[in-house]
Amino acid sequence: MVLIALWLGGMGLADQKALWWRFQARRFSDPEANEPSQTGYRARRFLLLSLALVILVIAVVWFTQIDYLQSGGVRD
């Protein structure tokens, strides 16, 4: 999970315009007409960084809960 979060964070920190031109532009006959706006690039960056943060939080909670449960910390 941490590796996925690091990958998503790295993609979020990378230049979104360069990523779009590298991986998406070739699918269009007129890539300049289909290029996302600056708001689209910011939204994609925000989404990637948010997902990375959520996955890191889930990983931390999950792994601390596993340690807590294995140590006998839960009593009914």
Side-chain angles (χ1 to χ4, degrees):
M1 288 181 76
V2 173
L3 290 176
I4 292 171
L6 288 174
W7 181 75
L8 286 171
M11 293 296 284
L13 294 175
D15 182 17
Q16 297 300 306
K17 190 171 191 171
L19 288 174
W20 189 86
W21 279 99
R22 171 73 171 103
F23 296 109
Q24 300 293 324
R26 69 180 117 188
R27 297 188 314 165
F28 301 103
S29 59
D30 186 11
E32 290 179 2
N34 293 296
E35 183 179 7
S37 65
Q38 291 300 321
T39 304
Y41 288 132
R42 277 191 293 261
R44 181 174 295 157
R45 181 181 306 265
F46 177 76
L47 176 67
L48 288 167
L49 292 174
S50 298
L51 285 173
L53 181 64
V54 167
I55 289 175
L56 278 176
V57 168
I58 289 171
V60 167
V61 169
W62 184 26
F63 287 117
T64 56
Q65 286 294 336
I66 288 172
D67 291 342
Y68 181 71
L69 293 173
Q70 288 178 351
S71 68
V74 175
R75 292 186 171 77
D76 291 324

